[in-house]
Amino acid sequence: MKSLKFKLMVTFIFLIVVSFSVMALILFNSSKTIISSYIEESALEKMQEYSSYVEMLQNQVYDSASLVYNSDVIYNWDRVHSDETATDGAKMLANLELSEYLTQVTNSYTPIANLTVYRQPNVWISGENFIKRSESFTDESWYIDIREKERYWGPASIDMVELVKGNQNQMVSMTMPLDSYNPAIAHSYLKINVSEDYFLEPLERLHLGETGQIYLIDRYGQMLLTGQAQHIEEHQLSYLDEMKANSDSEGRILRTNDAGEKEMIVYKRLPKTKWMLVGIVSEKDLYSKLNNLRKTVVVLVSILLVVSIVVTLVFSHSISKPLNSLVAAMRHLKRGDFSQAENRIMNEKSNTMEIAFVIDVFKNMISQLRQYISKEYQLTLLKQKAEYKALIMQINPHFLFNTLEMISSLALQNRGKETSKMILSLGHMMRYSLKVSDDLVYLREELRFINHYLDIIRVRFRDRSHIELSVNGAIDELLILKLIMQPIIENAVKYSSKQTDFIQISIHITRTEQHLQISISDNGPGFTADEKYQLIHHIEKQWRSQQYEEKDRHIGLQNVLLRGYAVYGDQFHYTLEKSSYGGAEVSLYVPLKEELQHD
């Protein structure tokens, strides 16, 4: 067996190391969860703000497109160019009028850099009197996308019209047909350019962790902003393809890259154009500060471990010796050897104030414990006996009053035979119930008492009752708790008579190998679910606390159950069910006791 000093040292070291390790582990894992959840929520909030901003830009593009599409200017221009008899001068005049109108619309919407109308095969018309007929635009990527793929929004690129005007900025464009709903057969198209900077600048201010970025991709899984292409790594492009096939509106996923590092991808889909914002950040970047904290905790735990070993050695030496003497004295006390316990601790002292106080208290405790044990044991026995006798005497007196009134009524009616029978039955019952010296009685005596009680009930209710009593098995030498059935039968009579004019009660007593089962059924109102719960809870509380209280409803049943627990302990149990008559059925299960077993 290890010494106390060794145990103290191991315990202190174990507690410090384990507590700090567990704390660090819990703190680290909890922090990872909190940070991950916070990053996701923060990213989604930022994405929502950016989504609203993009929607505002899109609305301005759609508004300007609607103005051009529904204007009389574009209608007149299309009519002139569709008229084969129109002169070149008429067409030029219509082109100038359209260019001026496009200039006005462009100036009305700040984000819009340029509006250009294209007509096959080689007509280019933009604002500021830009009219060109020299080159065909059918080889342009936006033209191929709108004609073959019905791709209305195109990624950022250099626009030829802007380039001619001296503007080399990347443009995000939206193209729509003007003379047909089917882009594949249209002859005229409106192309609206928005500078990439309007999309890129607010997006570059959104970050995940230290270096994580958020990317804007279109519904086809391609990046819309070329300014972001230089930031994304090659393996992360596969995430964009995966997002293309993802139909969820928003969420978070975790992936492991080729280098074995985990990366978190947060995404949100824009409702109108089905564009998607995709944020990518590595766990190494996300939890960099947390990893530094973990290293600090490890160093701190190591330092505390060394300090704890030194402190434990000093501390354990100061308390182990007097405590060993105290433990030895307690072993003698455990065996009831008070003299040896006093001798073992008599000359023991300690420099530690608390231990010295414990030793002095223990010395005084030994001398007082002898008297206290004997006194407390006797008081406990008297208290339990008094509580049990009080339970026996909690029999409802209303039965006695009702029986005396019935005897008086029978006497006034000159029904002497019935009066005599009632008096004899009541006398036997009173003689039996007033004998409180015995807790257990023969079951045959208890049944004789019950039969006297049932005789009185049958006279009282006459032809308005049907009471059945049956016994199965050998019961001659069985002992049972006194007055265990009468209060329950009395409750059955009471509540059945209130419920209906005809009382039906059955009492079945059955002996099995393990116990004696007593089942009492009636046709009264039965137990509600709340009454059943309250009664079971109340009985359990009183039995465990040994504090018996009296309740108005079901006092007889409570009395029986509490006395059953007081005599039989946990071997006693009961059930409360619905009877075949529709009322209550109370079943008591008591352990088998015969005369030779009775203590």
Side-chain angles (χ1 to χ4, degrees), residues 160-178:
M160 296 301 295
V161 175
E162 293 291 331
L163 190 61
V164 172
K165 293 181 178 181
N167 185 0
Q168 298 183 1
N169 292 337
Q170 298 281 342
M171 296 290 169
V172 177
S173 61
M174 194 279 288
T175 307
M176 61 174 287
L178 290 175

Side-chain angles (χ1 to χ4, degrees), residues 156 170 196 200 204 223-231:
Q170 298 281 342
E196 180 189 41
L200 189 59
E204 287 182 337
M223 295 185 64
L224 277 164
L225 307 178
T226 56
Q228 289 189 314
Q230 57 186 343
H231 302 300

Side-chain angles (χ1 to χ4, degrees), residues 381-395 433 435-440 482 548 559 563 566:
L381 290 179
L382 291 174
K383 179 176 179 293
Q384 291 180 346
K385 186 174 182 180
E387 289 173 344
Y388 177 70
K389 296 304 180 184
L391 281 174
I392 293 181
M393 299 305 296
Q394 288 180 3
I395 303 301
S433 61
K435 291 170 59 177
V436 298
S437 59
D438 293 330
D439 300 332
L440 298 178
K482 186 177 181 180
Y548 305 119
N559 181 285
R563 288 195 294 124

Side-chain angles (χ1 to χ4, degrees), residues 4 19 52 64 66 90 92 144 183 189 199 282 451 453 460 494 498 500 519 524 542-543 583:
L4 178 61
S19 60
S52 300
S64 64
S66 178
M92 179 57 69
I144 296 173
Y189 300 89
F199 293 91
S282 65
N451 281 318
Y453 175 73
R460 178 182 176 187
K494 175 182 176 182
K498 290 182 179 181
T500 179
S519 297
Q542 291 189 74
W543 162 238

Side-chain angles (χ1 to χ4, degrees), residues 18 72 76 79 89 154 235-236 257 273 282 347 356 403 411 420 431 445 459 462 481 513 538 585:
V18 170
D72 294 336
N76 181 62
R79 181 180 57 82
H235 75 276
Q236 293 177 341
N257 58 29
T273 56
S282 65
N347 298 321
T403 305
S420 176
R431 187 180 296 109
E445 294 179 1
V459 172
R462 303 179 72 179
L481 179 63
E513 294 182 359
H538 188 65
E585 178 175 297

Side-chain angles (χ1 to χ4, degrees), residues 278-428:
V278 179
I280 303 174
V281 61
S282 65
E283 278 197 345
K284 181 179 180 181
D285 174 29
L286 192 61
Y287 305 130
S288 58
K289 294 182 179 179
L290 190 60
N291 289 327
N292 293 334
L293 176 62
R294 182 169 59 177
K295 294 178 182 178
T296 303
V297 171
V298 170
V299 173
L300 179 62
V301 170
S302 301
I303 296 173
L304 288 175
L305 177 60
V306 175
V307 174
S308 67
I309 294 175
V310 176
V311 173
T312 300
L313 289 172
V314 176
F315 179 71
S316 62
H317 179 74
S318 65
I319 65 175
S320 59
K321 184 177 180 298
L323 282 180
N324 286 333
S325 298
L326 188 61
V327 169
M330 288 181 177
R331 289 196 181 100
H332 290 296
L333 188 63
K334 180 180 178 180
R335 294 192 294 266
D337 191 347
F338 289 88
S339 298
Q340 288 294 330
E342 289 176 335
N343 294 334
R344 188 69 177 82
I345 202 70
M346 184 62 65
N347 298 321
E348 191 62 50
K349 295 181 181 180
S350 175
N351 296 327
T352 305
M353 181 178 64
E354 291 80 1
I355 301 224
F357 177 75
V358 171
I359 292 174
D360 290 338
V361 170
F362 184 75
K363 292 176 183 178
N364 295 329
M365 183 189 70
I366 293 176
S367 62
Q368 296 175 8
L369 190 59
R370 300 176 182 176
Q371 299 177 356
Y372 178 78
I373 289 176
S374 178
K375 181 179 179 181
E376 185 64 21
Y377 181 71
Q378 295 296 328
L379 288 175
T380 300
L381 290 179
L382 291 174
K383 179 176 179 293
Q384 291 180 346
K385 186 174 182 180
E387 289 173 344
Y388 177 70
K389 296 304 180 184
L391 281 174
I392 293 181
M393 299 305 296
Q394 288 180 3
I395 303 301
N396 192 345
H398 293 296
F399 169 75
L400 176 61
F401 300 148
N402 291 336
T403 305
L404 291 175
E405 290 177 0
M406 189 168 16
I407 292 173
S408 175
S409 175
L410 292 173
L412 290 175
Q413 298 175 29
N414 294 321
R415 294 161 64 179
K417 185 176 181 180
E418 294 178 350
T419 303
S420 176
K421 184 177 181 180
M422 290 278 285
I423 292 174
L424 287 175
S425 296
L426 181 61
H428 288 306

Side-chain angles (χ1 to χ4, degrees), residues 68-69 71-86 90-91 93-95 97-98 117-120 123 125 177-180 185-190:
V68 175
Y69 184 83
S71 68
D72 294 336
V73 175
I74 197 68
Y75 174 77
N76 181 62
W77 175 83
D78 183 68
R79 181 180 57 82
V80 171
H81 279 270
S82 299
D83 186 1
E84 296 180 356
T85 62
K91 292 180 180 181
L93 182 62
N95 291 340
E97 184 180 0
L98 177 58
V117 174
Y118 297 86
R119 186 177 179 87
Q120 294 181 354
V123 176
I125 302 174
L178 290 175
D179 56 352
S180 174
I185 62 175
H187 295 88
S188 301
Y189 300 89
L190 172 65

